[in-house]
């Protein structure tokens, strides 16, 4: 596994762990999900999924298939977030972080997939 994959996995896992905790606990995030038109159950599910994705990225450093599914899942989640931001007409600056995290997680998913294919 390359150093860039290790570095990105750890950094992205930290971001999603922090964001997952904020999603579960922050009054700001409660208001944001209302603004997105999403209910409280979806906010909690999102936070838990982000925490699981962060753990999956770390576990992926040892078990590539877990890293692949974690990165692919987080990339898909960020695609939905990006579409949501566009749908509610947020500014480009507000939408860009979700696009960035979608792209980085997509890159990580491809890197983990390549590791899996090399092991065959």
């Amino acid at each position: 596994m390359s150093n860039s994959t290790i570095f990105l996995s750890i950094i992205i896992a930290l971001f999603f762990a922090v964001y997952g905790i904020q999603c579960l606990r922050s009054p700001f995030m409660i208001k944001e999900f209302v603004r997105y038109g999403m209910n409280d159950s979806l906010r909690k599910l999102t936070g838990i999924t982000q925490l699981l994705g962060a753990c999956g990225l770390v576990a992926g450093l040892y078990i590539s298939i877990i890293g692949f599914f974690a990165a692919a899942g987080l990339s898909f989640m960020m695609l939905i977030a990006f579409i949501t931001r566009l749908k509610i007409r947020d500014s480009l600056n507000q939408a860009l972080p979700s696009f960035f995290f979608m792209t980085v997680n997509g890159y990580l998913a491809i890197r983990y997939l390549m590791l899996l294919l090399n092991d065959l």
Side-chain angles (χ1 to χ4, degrees):
M1 181 176 306
S2 72
N3 287 339
S4 64
T5 302
I6 294 168
F7 176 77
L8 278 176
S9 292
I10 292 169
I11 294 298
I12 297 301
L14 289 172
F15 273 103
F16 275 95
V18 168
Y19 193 74
I21 291 167
Q22 286 180 341
C23 209
L24 293 171
R25 302 184 51 108
S26 167
F28 173 77
M29 290 308 298
I30 293 169
K31 290 176 187 172
E32 280 295 280
F33 270 74
V34 169
R35 190 172 74 83
Y36 302 152
M38 297 178 185
N39 64 35
D40 207 46
S41 295
L42 190 54
R43 176 186 60 83
K44 291 175 184 174
L45 178 64
T46 300
I48 291 167
T49 305
Q50 289 173 337
L51 289 171
L52 290 172
C55 292
L57 287 176
V58 173
L61 298 174
Y62 303 98
I63 305 169
S64 297
I65 195 162
I66 295 174
F68 168 72
F69 282 114
L74 289 171
S75 184
F76 182 71
M77 181 187 295
M78 291 296 97
L79 171 63
I80 300 302
F82 182 66
I83 292 168
T84 299
R85 292 285 192 161
L86 295 177
K87 182 179 170 186
I88 65 170
R89 301 192 187 275
D90 273 356
S91 71
L92 189 58
N93 284 341
Q94 291 171 304
L96 277 179
S98 57
F99 183 81
F100 170 77
F101 283 108
M102 176 190 69
T103 304
V104 172
N105 279 297
Y107 169 78
L108 284 174
I110 291 168
R111 297 296 300 173
Y112 280 112
L113 182 61
M114 290 171 58
L115 286 170
L116 288 168
L117 293 175
N118 286 335
D119 289 343
L120 293 179

